[in-house]
Amino acid sequence: MEVVRKLERGELSFSRLEEELGNANLAAVARRLFLEKTLRVNLSSIASTILDFEELYGRNIENPIGAVQIPLGVAGPLRVNGDYARGDFYIPLATTEGALVAGVNRGCKAVTLSGGARVKVLRDGMARAPLLWTPSVEEAARLVEWVKGNLDGVREAAESTTRHGRLVDVQVFQVGNLVWLRFVYSTGDAMGMNMATIASEAACDYIARNYPGEARCVALSGNMCVDKKPSCLNKLLGRGKYVVAEAVIRRDVAESVLKARPEDIHYVNVAKNLLGSAAAGSLSFNAHYANIIAAIFIATGQDVAQVVESSMGYTWTELRGGDLYVSVTLPSLEVGTVGGGTWLPTQREALAMLGVAGGGDPPGVNALKFAEIVAAAVLAGELNLLAALAAGHLARAHKALGRGGVKG
Amino acid sequence: MEVVRKLERGELSFSRLEEELGNANLAAVARRLFLEKTLRVNLSSIASTILDFEELYGRNIENPIGAVQIPLGVAGPLRVNGDYARGDFYIPLATTEGALVAGVNRGCKAVTLSGGARVKVLRDGMARAPLLWTPSVEEAARLVEWVKGNLDGVREAAESTTRHGRLVDVQVFQVGNLVWLRFVYSTGDAMGMNMATIASEAACDYIARNYPGEARCVALSGNMCVDKKPSCLNKLLGRGKYVVAEAVIRRDVAESVLKARPEDIHYVNVAKNLLGSAAAGSLSFNAHYANIIAAIFIATGQDVAQVVESSMGYTWTELRGGDLYVSVTLPSLEVGTVGGGTWLPTQREALAMLGVAGGGDPPGVNALKFAEIVAAAVLAGELNLLAALAAGHLARAHKALGRGGVKG
Amino acid sequence: MEVVRKLERGELSFSRLEEELGNANLAAVARRLFLEKTLRVNLSSIASTILDFEELYGRNIENPIGAVQIPLGVAGPLRVNGDYARGDFYIPLATTEGALVAGVNRGCKAVTLSGGARVKVLRDGMARAPLLWTPSVEEAARLVEWVKGNLDGVREAAESTTRHGRLVDVQVFQVGNLVWLRFVYSTGDAMGMNMATIASEAACDYIARNYPGEARCVALSGNMCVDKKPSCLNKLLGRGKYVVAEAVIRRDVAESVLKARPEDIHYVNVAKNLLGSAAAGSLSFNAHYANIIAAIFIATGQDVAQVVESSMGYTWTELRGGDLYVSVTLPSLEVGTVGGGTWLPTQREALAMLGVAGGGDPPGVNALKFAEIVAAAVLAGELNLLAALAAGHLARAHKALGRGGVKG
Amino acid sequence: MEVVRKLERGELSFSRLEEELGNANLAAVARRLFLEKTLRVNLSSIASTILDFEELYGRNIENPIGAVQIPLGVAGPLRVNGDYARGDFYIPLATTEGALVAGVNRGCKAVTLSGGARVKVLRDGMARAPLLWTPSVEEAARLVEWVKGNLDGVREAAESTTRHGRLVDVQVFQVGNLVWLRFVYSTGDAMGMNMATIASEAACDYIARNYPGEARCVALSGNMCVDKKPSCLNKLLGRGKYVVAEAVIRRDVAESVLKARPEDIHYVNVAKNLLGSAAAGSLSFNAHYANIIAAIFIATGQDVAQVVESSMGYTWTELRGGDLYVSVTLPSLEVGTVGGGTWLPTQREALAMLGVAGGGDPPGVNALKFAEIVAAAVLAGELNLLAALAAGHLARAHKALGRGGVKG
C-alpha cells in the first residue's frame, strides 16, 4: 500500500490514516501492515476481529489495528433477590486468570442453595469535581455561598448539555483559597462519566460568566471526583452505585459446598479483611472484589480503569446460630448499560445474558439491575475465596487450574 | 445436542461439560447453546473467536463460552531510554474509552520530541503474605525469631516449588498475637503471583512441620501482600516493579504539541494531583495512570484486577528554566511476559510489538523492559491529561471523540 | 494517717478515699502519703498546687494526688483579622519543647508585619456516631428511612438533654446490616463532646423505643464520630470547627524576619508537606500543626487527646509576584471556652489573655473567636518551621535552644 | 518596673527580657506584669509555680510567664509482666477529662485480677528523614547507591554528634528525582527526636561534602520521619517503641468488674474498632488510646504533640473458651525518661512513681520499661471503654462524673 510507504518515510502520521484513506477499516489494515513491517511482527490474530471500525472510530478507539480477544467464562446460576434484579443469573466473566470462574461458580452455588443474595442500591450518582482558584479564603467562601444561592442557574446550565443527566447534589470542599465543587448527577442507564464531565464544564462556564467575584477553573477534574483513584471520599459519599449484598449461608451448605466451617470463614474475614487490610494501610477491606469486577467489566464493556474504585468495599460476617451471615458493601460501583463499550458486539451480548442490554424503561432501571447483579456476583466470589483460604485450598486451586501443570 | 437437554433438565452441571464431551471447544458450544436457549439471547459474536479452549481450559478459563473482543489502538512512537528498553516503541492500548489512545499518542509525541523518557526500575519483587495465628504476643515474637533463624530452610522449601522464583526477602509484621510473613520473590519474566502463592504455601508448610512452638496458618494471603487492593504498604515497600520515569518537556514542545504552558501544567499537578488527592483521602497522587495501565494490561494479557495497585503512584513536576520537568513513580507495577494471559494469541502479538513476548535471556529482562515501557507510556498519558486540563480541553476531547457526537 | 494504713493493708481502695474522708483534698493527701511510702518516692512537687480538689473531684479528675506543672510561654503579638477575633493577641503556649515558643513568636512577627492573618470558620459542629445493628441490609435501609422520616422526634429527644446543644445534622453510613448515625450538634461555647454523647444516647433511646423494626445500639460511639483518632471522615465532613487562615508574606519580611526566600519556602511546602506526607501515607499534610495545638490545648484546658484530629490539615502556598501566599486549613479543630478543663484557675487565665474565658454573648462566639486565634497561631508556627527548614536552620534551633547545650 | 514601661512603649521586645534583666524569673514577672496591664487580666494563678525559669530557660521554654497546673490522678495497681517492667504499678494520669482516671482504674483492676498484662517491645528506634533533591531519576538512584556504599562514613558523621545515639538503619524512599533517607537511631533512654535531628543534619552535611554527584538537602525533615502526623509509614516500620500488650480476661472478671460479657466486648471491638475505623478512613483501629497516652505524656514530661502518632494502633480480641483475649499494638510509641520535660520537678516525680526517672543502667532500659508500662495502661483503658460501650454505660459515666451534674 502506498500509505504504508508514506508512513515509513514519515510523510504521513498514524492518526491521519482514517482521513487519508476515507475508511477506518482500511486505516486499521494500513497501520497493521506498517507495524508488521517496521517491528517485524505478525499481527494476524489481532487482525482477526468482527469489529467494524467504521462504527467505532471516533467513539471508542483511535489508531485502531484490530482487537484483543479475552476468554469469556460463565458462572452460575446465581439467585439474586434485588429490588430490580430478581431471579437466577448466569454471570459473564472475561478473564485469563485460571480458577477465577470456577471459584465464583462455587460461590454462586453456595449462595443460591442458601436462598440467594439480597441486594440493594442505597445511593446512585456520578460525580465530577472541578477545582476553582480564588485569590483568598474570603473570596473562596463567597464563591461557595454564591453557588449555593444560584443553584438553579448552575443546574440549568449543567443539564442543558444532557438528555438523561440530572444534577442532584453539589458537595463543596474548601482548602485555603481553593474550592472543589463536586457535582453529582443521576445519569440514567449510562455510567455517566462523560455526561458528568461535559455538564460540569457547562456549570463552570456558567459560574465563570455570572459570578461577580474572582474565580477561575484550574482543572475540570480536581481529583475529588474521584475517578480511577482509590479514595476515602468515594467510600464515604459514594460514586456511581452504592450497593450492598448479603446472604445467610447455611452451615451444611458451607461445609458441603465450600468445604469450610462458618466460624473459620468468619475468623479469616476478621483477621485478614479487617485487621490485615488495616495493618497494610489499605482502603479496601475485602479479599478480591477486584477480580470479579474486572472480569465483569471487561465482559460487558465497562470502563475497566474504574475497577480501581469500583472494587473498594467491606466484607462483613457474623455467626448466626451455626450459620454464616456475610455481606459485601460496594460504595463506588460505576456501571452502565448504555454508552462506552456497552454497545460493542460481544459486550452487548454479555449484557443481554443478564437482561440488561441497552437503555431501561424507565431509564436507569437497567443500570440499577446490573449493579445488583454485579454485587451479588462479588458476594459469591468473595465468599468462595474466604472459604478456600479457611480450608487451606488457595494454592491448591491455583496449582490444579491456572497453570496447566507447568512449574512456574 | 443431548448434553444441552441434560443441562436443561438439570442432569448435568455446567462445569462437567468438558469431562462429559471430552473436548473443551465442544463444551463451549454446548454451554452457549444452552444459554442462548435458556436466556433467549444470541451469542454469535461471542462465539466468533480464534481461541482454542483445548489449550486454554484448565489454565486460563473455566466454563468458557467464547471470547470478548476489545478494540486495540496504538500510540507512538514513544522514545524510551531505559536500562532495558531503548528505542522507539508503539504502545498497544485495548480500550473502549474514546480519546484515550489519541491522548496518549499526543503525550508520546511531546515526550519523544523532548528527547524521550528516562526510566529506571528501582526494585523488583512479588510478595505474598500468609497470616499466622499464635496463642500470645510471646509466642508470636518467638515465631518471628525462629523464622529469622531458619531462613535457609524456609527459603529452600519455598524455592523447591519453582524454577525461576527466588525468595529474596521476608518482611515481618506483628499485631498482638498475629504474625504476617511477607515473602518477597524475584520471579523472572513472570508477574509471579501464582509462583509466590505456591512457594509461600510450601514455606508455611515447612514452618508448620518444623517450628517447635504453636503456630497455625490462618490464611495463605493475609491482605498484607497486598494483592488487588490499594495500600500504603505496596507504595512504601513495593510489589512487582517499582518504576520511575521522567522527561524534561521543552517549553516550545509544551506550547505547540500540548497547547499548554509549563507553569500551568505544574500548577494543575500540584493543586489537583497532590492537594486534591490529599483532600480526597486518596492513596494515588496522579491524574489517570489507571487508564493507561488498564489499556496495556488488557492488550498484553496481564492480570487486569491488578490495575488497582499497579496504578497507584505519584506525578511530580518542577519548573526548570522555562521547561517542565515531569516524573511518574509507580511503586507497585505488576507485569510479566510469561504466564497468565500473555501467551494467548492476540496478547502475545501485542507483547511482540514491544519486543517482549515470552521469556527473556537472561530470565527477567523481558519483564523489566516491559515495565519500563509501561512507565514511559504512563508518563506520556499523564502529561497529556494534565496539559489538557491546564488548557481547559478535557470536556472538549470527550465531546469530539468518545461519544460520536451523540448527546449523552 | 489511719486511712493510709488501711490502704496498705488492703482494707480500703484508692477510689473510696473521698467518701471515707469526706474531703477530696484530704483524700489527695492520703493517696500521696500512701504512694510515697509504698513506692518510696517523694511527691512534694506534685503536692505543691493551687488546685482545690473539692471543686474538681467528680468533674475533672478522680483519684487525685496533686498537679503537674507545665511551663507557660507567650508568643506574639499576632494580628488576627477574623470574623470574631480582631486585633493583636498574645498566644499562651504550655510546652516543654525548647524552641517552640521562640519559633511561633518569629512566625507571629512575620504574619503581623505582613498585615495579619485572615481567618474564617467555615463549618461548626460536634459529632457523635452511634453504631446500630440490624438483622439485614433490608432492615438497615428501613431504619435509615425511618430516622429520616422521624427527625423531629429524634431531635427533640436529643435536645431535651442539653441547654445549648442543637442537633443540626444526621449523617448516615451503612455497611451491610450495620448503620452509623453521625449526629452533628452545635454546642455553643463548649467543645461539646460530652453534650453530644449524652444527647446521642437520648436519640438512640428514642429510636429504640419507637422504631417498629429490629435495631439495637452496639456502641454509642462507633468510631465514625471520629473522636481522638485521625480520619479522612473528619477532614471531609469536619468536626468541631472547620477553620482556614491565610496571610500574604511580603518578600522583604520573609527574607528579613524568616531568613528565607518565598520560593524556597514554597518548594519545601510542596515537596515535604504535600509529596512527603503522600509518600508516608499520612492523613496530615502539614509540618507541625500538632506542636502549636498541643501547647495551646494544654494551656487553655482543652481535651488534649483531641490534638490527634485537631492537628490534621493542609498547608498551601502560592507565589504571588515575589511574595508568598500561605494558608492553613484545619477541618477538625475541637475547642471550647466552657466545660472540660477551661474553668481551672491557670487555664482560665490563659483563656482570659485571649479575651475568650467562659461563655460568650451570644453563646458560641467565644469558641468561634478562640478557634480563629488558634488557626492564626498555627499559621504562624507552620510558616516559621517551613522557613527554618528552607533556610537549613532546624537543627541549629534545637541545638541553641531546647537542649541547654548538653550533648544528647 | 521600668522594663514593663519599655515593653509598653515598644522599646523592648518580649524575647529580650532575659537578656535585659539578667534573670529568667524576673523576666517572667516583667512579662506577666506587662500582659496583666495590657490585656487587663489577672495572671496570679499562672504566677503560682514552683518552676525556676533560670533552669528552664533555653532548654524547655521561651518567653515564660509562669506555669499551667493540670490535675494529676492515679490508676492502679496494674500488674505488668514485661521484659523490663515487672510488678504492680500506679499509673500517673494528668487530665481534665472527668471519668478517665476512674475508667483506666477499672481496667487496671480487671487486667490485674486476670493475671496482669504481658508486654513486649518488638522494635525500638527514632527516625528522622531528610528530603534530598537531585536533578534526575538517574542521579537519585546513584545517590541512593552511594549512601549504601558509604554507610560507615555516614554513620560516623551522625554518631559524632551524640553520646548515646546509634544509627541503626537507613531506609530509602524515592519518588521521581527526590530521595528521602530515613535515618533510624537507637537513642538510649531519651525519646531521641532532637538527637536524631542533629545527627541527621551531620549525616546530610557529610553527604553534601563527599557525594561526588549533584544533591541538595531540601528539608532536614521531609515528612517521612513521621513526626507529629498520623501515617501508615510509622505503623508499618515503627518509630520510637513498637509495643504489644495483651491479657486474657476471665469471664467472671469481665462480668463482675467490667459489667460486660466477653462476647459483647469482642463484637464491639470488631464492629467499632475494626469496621468503624475502616469506614471512617481512620489510621487508628482502637477506641481511645489517645486518652491514656495524652494523660501519661502530660504527667511525665513527654512531647505531648507526639500523642498524634503514639496513639495509633490496633486493638485485637478473641474469644477463648468463655474468656476474652485482648491485645493492644502500638507501633509508634515515642517515650523517654531523660531529656525534654522529663526532668521538670512534677514530671520527674511522676516518672519516679513508675521507677523510671532519669537514665537507666544500661542506658535504654528505663525507656523500655516505661514503654511497657504505658502499653499496659493503654490496654487497661481500652478494655474498660470497650466494656462500658458493650454494657451501654458510656454516657452514664460522663453524666455521673465529668460534668458535676451540670446540664451541658
Side-chain angles (χ1 to χ4, degrees), chain A residues 118 133 135 137-138 174 176-177 242 246 318 320 329, chain C residues 118 133 135 137-138 174 176-177 242 246 316 318 320 329:
Chain A
R118 178 72 188 97
W133 179 91
V137 157
E138 191 72 41
Q174 182 177 342
N177 59 317
Y242 190 119
E246 73 185 357
E318 297 181 0
R320 296 199 177 169
T329 299
Chain C
R118 180 72 187 98
W133 179 92
V137 156
E138 191 71 41
Q174 182 178 342
N177 60 318
Y242 190 119
E246 74 184 358
W316 178 247
E318 297 181 0
R320 297 200 176 168
T329 299

mmCIF file of all heavy atoms in Angstrom, chain A residues 118 133 135 137-138 174 176-177 242 246 318 320 329, chain C residues 118 133 135 137-138 174 176-177 242 246 316 318 320 329:
data_model
loop_
_atom_site.group_PDB
_atom_site.id
_atom_site.type_symbol
_atom_site.label_atom_id
_atom_site.label_comp_id
_atom_site.label_asym_id
_atom_site.label_seq_id
_atom_site.Cartn_x
_atom_site.Cartn_y
_atom_site.Cartn_z
ATOM 1 N N ARG A 118 -29.551 -11.164 48.832
ATOM 2 C CA ARG A 118 -30.410 -9.987 48.933
ATOM 3 C C ARG A 118 -29.546 -8.770 48.622
ATOM 4 O O ARG A 118 -28.490 -8.582 49.227
ATOM 5 C CB ARG A 118 -30.961 -9.915 50.367
ATOM 6 C CG ARG A 118 -31.841 -8.717 50.637
ATOM 7 C CD ARG A 118 -33.195 -8.845 49.944
ATOM 8 N NE ARG A 118 -33.991 -7.628 50.030
ATOM 9 C CZ ARG A 118 -34.042 -6.709 49.061
ATOM 10 N NH1 ARG A 118 -33.398 -6.894 47.921
ATOM 11 N NH2 ARG A 118 -34.777 -5.628 49.211
ATOM 12 N N TRP A 133 -9.877 28.178 41.534
ATOM 13 C CA TRP A 133 -8.957 29.045 42.261
ATOM 14 C C TRP A 133 -9.647 30.369 42.554
ATOM 15 O O TRP A 133 -10.365 30.914 41.703
ATOM 16 C CB TRP A 133 -7.713 29.297 41.410
ATOM 17 C CG TRP A 133 -6.702 30.204 42.065
ATOM 18 C CD1 TRP A 133 -5.661 29.835 42.847
ATOM 19 C CD2 TRP A 133 -6.641 31.639 41.976
ATOM 20 N NE1 TRP A 133 -4.944 30.939 43.258
ATOM 21 C CE2 TRP A 133 -5.529 32.062 42.746
ATOM 22 C CE3 TRP A 133 -7.419 32.600 41.345
ATOM 23 C CZ2 TRP A 133 -5.172 33.406 42.894
ATOM 24 C CZ3 TRP A 133 -7.075 33.945 41.490
ATOM 25 C CH2 TRP A 133 -5.964 34.334 42.256
ATOM 26 N N PRO A 135 -8.685 34.191 44.891
ATOM 27 C CA PRO A 135 -7.493 34.827 45.464
ATOM 28 C C PRO A 135 -7.357 34.647 46.975
ATOM 29 O O PRO A 135 -6.267 34.796 47.499
ATOM 30 C CB PRO A 135 -7.677 36.307 45.100
ATOM 31 C CG PRO A 135 -9.125 36.472 44.807
ATOM 32 C CD PRO A 135 -9.615 35.162 44.310
ATOM 33 N N VAL A 137 -9.185 33.163 51.033
ATOM 34 C CA VAL A 137 -10.137 32.441 51.863
ATOM 35 C C VAL A 137 -11.514 33.110 51.825
ATOM 36 O O VAL A 137 -12.551 32.437 51.731
ATOM 37 C CB VAL A 137 -9.575 32.426 53.308
ATOM 38 C CG1 VAL A 137 -10.663 32.226 54.337
ATOM 39 C CG2 VAL A 137 -8.470 31.359 53.434
ATOM 40 N N GLU A 138 -11.487 34.406 51.893
ATOM 41 C CA GLU A 138 -12.725 35.210 51.883
ATOM 42 C C GLU A 138 -13.486 35.007 50.579
ATOM 43 O O GLU A 138 -14.681 34.735 50.567
ATOM 44 C CB GLU A 138 -12.320 36.687 52.013
ATOM 45 C CG GLU A 138 -13.463 37.622 52.291
ATOM 46 C CD GLU A 138 -13.970 37.447 53.704
ATOM 47 O OE1 GLU A 138 -13.133 37.281 54.625
ATOM 48 O OE2 GLU A 138 -15.210 37.446 53.888
ATOM 49 N N GLN A 174 -13.415 23.069 50.665
ATOM 50 C CA GLN A 174 -12.533 24.230 50.561
ATOM 51 C C GLN A 174 -11.232 23.974 51.325
ATOM 52 O O GLN A 174 -11.242 23.542 52.468
ATOM 53 C CB GLN A 174 -13.239 25.477 51.127
ATOM 54 C CG GLN A 174 -12.398 26.743 51.006
ATOM 55 C CD GLN A 174 -13.099 27.993 51.502
ATOM 56 O OE1 GLN A 174 -14.317 28.028 51.643
ATOM 57 N NE2 GLN A 174 -12.339 29.029 51.775
ATOM 58 N N GLY A 176 -7.969 26.343 52.066
ATOM 59 C CA GLY A 176 -7.414 27.675 51.874
ATOM 60 C C GLY A 176 -8.242 28.450 50.873
ATOM 61 O O GLY A 176 -9.468 28.577 51.030
ATOM 62 N N ASN A 177 -7.595 28.929 49.820
ATOM 63 C CA ASN A 177 -8.277 29.734 48.811
ATOM 64 C C ASN A 177 -8.839 28.918 47.659
ATOM 65 O O ASN A 177 -9.309 29.490 46.681
ATOM 66 C CB ASN A 177 -7.294 30.769 48.243
ATOM 67 C CG ASN A 177 -6.072 30.102 47.606
ATOM 68 O OD1 ASN A 177 -5.518 29.157 48.169
ATOM 69 N ND2 ASN A 177 -5.665 30.563 46.448
ATOM 70 N N TYR A 242 -23.957 2.836 45.129
ATOM 71 C CA TYR A 242 -23.558 2.365 46.468
ATOM 72 C C TYR A 242 -24.423 1.147 46.753
ATOM 73 O O TYR A 242 -25.627 1.269 46.991
ATOM 74 C CB TYR A 242 -23.813 3.469 47.489
ATOM 75 C CG TYR A 242 -23.238 3.237 48.880
ATOM 76 C CD1 TYR A 242 -22.292 4.099 49.416
ATOM 77 C CD2 TYR A 242 -23.642 2.176 49.679
ATOM 78 C CE1 TYR A 242 -21.762 3.918 50.691
ATOM 79 C CE2 TYR A 242 -23.123 1.973 50.944
ATOM 80 C CZ TYR A 242 -22.189 2.852 51.445
ATOM 81 O OH TYR A 242 -21.684 2.663 52.715
ATOM 82 N N GLU A 246 -26.111 -9.359 50.529
ATOM 83 C CA GLU A 246 -25.908 -10.224 51.694
ATOM 84 C C GLU A 246 -26.522 -11.597 51.448
ATOM 85 O O GLU A 246 -27.379 -11.780 50.581
ATOM 86 C CB GLU A 246 -26.552 -9.608 52.945
ATOM 87 C CG GLU A 246 -28.062 -9.699 52.926
ATOM 88 C CD GLU A 246 -28.766 -8.995 54.076
ATOM 89 O OE1 GLU A 246 -28.097 -8.452 54.972
ATOM 90 O OE2 GLU A 246 -30.021 -8.969 54.048
ATOM 91 N N GLU A 318 -20.985 -12.404 60.240
ATOM 92 C CA GLU A 318 -21.450 -12.657 61.611
ATOM 93 C C GLU A 318 -21.828 -14.130 61.702
ATOM 94 O O GLU A 318 -22.348 -14.697 60.740
ATOM 95 C CB GLU A 318 -22.694 -11.812 61.942
ATOM 96 C CG GLU A 318 -22.450 -10.320 61.911
ATOM 97 C CD GLU A 318 -23.698 -9.488 62.271
ATOM 98 O OE1 GLU A 318 -24.767 -10.087 62.550
ATOM 99 O OE2 GLU A 318 -23.603 -8.255 62.255
ATOM 100 N N ARG A 320 -24.421 -16.670 62.991
ATOM 101 C CA ARG A 320 -25.822 -16.634 63.422
ATOM 102 C C ARG A 320 -26.271 -18.064 63.654
ATOM 103 O O ARG A 320 -26.547 -18.772 62.687
ATOM 104 C CB ARG A 320 -26.674 -15.951 62.365
ATOM 105 C CG ARG A 320 -26.266 -14.497 62.187
ATOM 106 C CD ARG A 320 -27.360 -13.718 61.517
ATOM 107 N NE ARG A 320 -26.977 -12.310 61.419
ATOM 108 C CZ ARG A 320 -27.627 -11.415 60.698
ATOM 109 N NH1 ARG A 320 -28.690 -11.797 60.003
ATOM 110 N NH2 ARG A 320 -27.257 -10.163 60.679
ATOM 111 N N THR A 329 -20.198 -4.717 50.734
ATOM 112 C CA THR A 329 -20.650 -3.339 50.530
ATOM 113 C C THR A 329 -19.716 -2.689 49.526
ATOM 114 O O THR A 329 -18.502 -2.659 49.729
ATOM 115 C CB THR A 329 -20.634 -2.565 51.862
ATOM 116 O OG1 THR A 329 -21.519 -3.206 52.781
ATOM 117 C CG2 THR A 329 -21.074 -1.126 51.677
ATOM 118 N N ARG C 118 -5.780 36.460 57.966
ATOM 119 C CA ARG C 118 -7.216 36.452 57.682
ATOM 120 C C ARG C 118 -7.731 35.060 58.026
ATOM 121 O O ARG C 118 -7.213 34.066 57.534
ATOM 122 C CB ARG C 118 -7.444 36.759 56.202
ATOM 123 C CG ARG C 118 -8.912 36.766 55.789
ATOM 124 C CD ARG C 118 -9.640 37.978 56.328
ATOM 125 N NE ARG C 118 -11.089 37.904 56.081
ATOM 126 C CZ ARG C 118 -11.965 37.486 56.986
ATOM 127 N NH1 ARG C 118 -11.547 37.116 58.184
ATOM 128 N NH2 ARG C 118 -13.247 37.462 56.707
ATOM 129 N N TRP C 133 -26.977 -2.117 65.140
ATOM 130 C CA TRP C 133 -27.080 -3.405 64.465
ATOM 131 C C TRP C 133 -28.518 -3.643 64.037
ATOM 132 O O TRP C 133 -29.466 -3.352 64.769
ATOM 133 C CB TRP C 133 -26.650 -4.522 65.422
ATOM 134 C CG TRP C 133 -26.733 -5.914 64.832
ATOM 135 C CD1 TRP C 133 -25.754 -6.581 64.192
ATOM 136 C CD2 TRP C 133 -27.865 -6.791 64.854
ATOM 137 N NE1 TRP C 133 -26.180 -7.819 63.797
ATOM 138 C CE2 TRP C 133 -27.488 -7.982 64.187
ATOM 139 C CE3 TRP C 133 -29.166 -6.695 65.365
ATOM 140 C CZ2 TRP C 133 -28.351 -9.064 64.025
ATOM 141 C CZ3 TRP C 133 -30.032 -7.760 65.187
ATOM 142 C CH2 TRP C 133 -29.621 -8.933 64.522
ATOM 143 N N PRO C 135 -30.798 -6.794 61.588
ATOM 144 C CA PRO C 135 -30.567 -8.165 61.098
ATOM 145 C C PRO C 135 -30.178 -8.246 59.632
ATOM 146 O O PRO C 135 -29.637 -9.265 59.204
ATOM 147 C CB PRO C 135 -31.909 -8.856 61.353
ATOM 148 C CG PRO C 135 -32.910 -7.764 61.489
ATOM 149 C CD PRO C 135 -32.183 -6.574 62.018
ATOM 150 N N VAL C 137 -29.603 -6.114 55.509
ATOM 151 C CA VAL C 137 -29.480 -4.972 54.618
ATOM 152 C C VAL C 137 -30.822 -4.243 54.481
ATOM 153 O O VAL C 137 -30.894 -3.012 54.501
ATOM 154 C CB VAL C 137 -28.992 -5.490 53.245
ATOM 155 C CG1 VAL C 137 -29.368 -4.565 52.121
ATOM 156 C CG2 VAL C 137 -27.487 -5.777 53.299
ATOM 157 N N GLU C 138 -31.862 -5.036 54.334
ATOM 158 C CA GLU C 138 -33.218 -4.503 54.169
ATOM 159 C C GLU C 138 -33.641 -3.699 55.395
ATOM 160 O O GLU C 138 -34.121 -2.567 55.306
ATOM 161 C CB GLU C 138 -34.175 -5.689 54.012
ATOM 162 C CG GLU C 138 -35.556 -5.338 53.577
ATOM 163 C CD GLU C 138 -35.571 -4.898 52.126
ATOM 164 O OE1 GLU C 138 -34.872 -5.528 51.310
ATOM 165 O OE2 GLU C 138 -36.252 -3.895 51.820
ATOM 166 N N GLN C 174 -23.929 3.231 55.959
ATOM 167 C CA GLN C 174 -24.368 1.842 56.088
ATOM 168 C C GLN C 174 -23.331 0.905 55.489
ATOM 169 O O GLN C 174 -22.855 1.098 54.374
ATOM 170 C CB GLN C 174 -25.724 1.656 55.382
ATOM 171 C CG GLN C 174 -26.268 0.233 55.522
ATOM 172 C CD GLN C 174 -27.634 0.050 54.878
ATOM 173 O OE1 GLN C 174 -28.338 1.020 54.609
ATOM 174 N NE2 GLN C 174 -28.015 -1.187 54.634
ATOM 175 N N GLY C 176 -23.266 -3.181 54.986
ATOM 176 C CA GLY C 176 -24.041 -4.396 55.185
ATOM 177 C C GLY C 176 -25.265 -4.110 56.042
ATOM 178 O O GLY C 176 -26.076 -3.229 55.741
ATOM 179 N N ASN C 177 -25.398 -4.857 57.113
ATOM 180 C CA ASN C 177 -26.545 -4.718 58.006
ATOM 181 C C ASN C 177 -26.321 -3.738 59.136
ATOM 182 O O ASN C 177 -27.148 -3.636 60.037
ATOM 183 C CB ASN C 177 -26.877 -6.092 58.615
ATOM 184 C CG ASN C 177 -25.698 -6.643 59.409
ATOM 185 O OD1 ASN C 177 -24.557 -6.540 58.969
ATOM 186 N ND2 ASN C 177 -25.963 -7.210 60.570
ATOM 187 N N TYR C 242 -14.259 23.923 61.442
ATOM 188 C CA TYR C 242 -13.506 23.805 60.190
ATOM 189 C C TYR C 242 -12.987 25.206 59.900
ATOM 190 O O TYR C 242 -13.756 26.092 59.527
ATOM 191 C CB TYR C 242 -14.434 23.317 59.077
ATOM 192 C CG TYR C 242 -13.768 22.911 57.772
ATOM 193 C CD1 TYR C 242 -13.881 21.615 57.282
ATOM 194 C CD2 TYR C 242 -13.043 23.815 57.009
ATOM 195 C CE1 TYR C 242 -13.293 21.224 56.078
ATOM 196 C CE2 TYR C 242 -12.449 23.437 55.822
ATOM 197 C CZ TYR C 242 -12.583 22.140 55.357
ATOM 198 O OH TYR C 242 -11.990 21.769 54.166
ATOM 199 N N GLU C 246 -5.068 32.508 56.527
ATOM 200 C CA GLU C 246 -4.124 32.779 55.446
ATOM 201 C C GLU C 246 -3.385 34.096 55.696
ATOM 202 O O GLU C 246 -3.829 34.933 56.497
ATOM 203 C CB GLU C 246 -4.873 32.870 54.104
ATOM 204 C CG GLU C 246 -5.665 34.154 53.956
ATOM 205 C CD GLU C 246 -6.507 34.245 52.693
ATOM 206 O OE1 GLU C 246 -6.471 33.323 51.874
ATOM 207 O OE2 GLU C 246 -7.247 35.248 52.571
ATOM 208 N N TRP C 316 -1.024 25.239 52.374
ATOM 209 C CA TRP C 316 -0.999 25.529 50.942
ATOM 210 C C TRP C 316 -0.263 26.842 50.697
ATOM 211 O O TRP C 316 -0.498 27.820 51.411
ATOM 212 C CB TRP C 316 -2.435 25.638 50.414
ATOM 213 C CG TRP C 316 -2.542 25.986 48.952
ATOM 214 C CD1 TRP C 316 -3.029 27.138 48.415
ATOM 215 C CD2 TRP C 316 -2.157 25.158 47.844
ATOM 216 N NE1 TRP C 316 -2.973 27.080 47.045
ATOM 217 C CE2 TRP C 316 -2.441 25.879 46.664
ATOM 218 C CE3 TRP C 316 -1.592 23.893 47.739
ATOM 219 C CZ2 TRP C 316 -2.179 25.365 45.394
ATOM 220 C CZ3 TRP C 316 -1.318 23.377 46.474
ATOM 221 C CH2 TRP C 316 -1.621 24.114 45.316
ATOM 222 N N GLU C 318 1.393 29.625 47.605
ATOM 223 C CA GLU C 318 1.473 30.071 46.211
ATOM 224 C C GLU C 318 2.452 31.240 46.161
ATOM 225 O O GLU C 318 2.515 32.038 47.096
ATOM 226 C CB GLU C 318 0.100 30.552 45.706
ATOM 227 C CG GLU C 318 -0.960 29.476 45.679
ATOM 228 C CD GLU C 318 -2.311 29.988 45.150
ATOM 229 O OE1 GLU C 318 -2.408 31.189 44.806
ATOM 230 O OE2 GLU C 318 -3.257 29.178 45.112
ATOM 231 N N ARG C 320 3.140 34.753 44.748
ATOM 232 C CA ARG C 320 2.343 35.837 44.151
ATOM 233 C C ARG C 320 3.270 37.024 43.948
ATOM 234 O O ARG C 320 3.590 37.719 44.909
ATOM 235 C CB ARG C 320 1.193 36.198 45.072
ATOM 236 C CG ARG C 320 0.230 35.019 45.249
ATOM 237 C CD ARG C 320 -1.097 35.481 45.720
ATOM 238 N NE ARG C 320 -2.021 34.347 45.783
ATOM 239 C CZ ARG C 320 -3.196 34.404 46.383
ATOM 240 N NH1 ARG C 320 -3.585 35.529 46.972
ATOM 241 N NH2 ARG C 320 -3.990 33.347 46.404
ATOM 242 N N THR C 329 -5.392 25.010 56.702
ATOM 243 C CA THR C 329 -6.788 24.575 56.777
ATOM 244 C C THR C 329 -6.883 23.495 57.839
ATOM 245 O O THR C 329 -6.191 22.482 57.762
ATOM 246 C CB THR C 329 -7.256 24.042 55.413
ATOM 247 O OG1 THR C 329 -7.155 25.087 54.440
ATOM 248 C CG2 THR C 329 -8.698 23.562 55.482
#
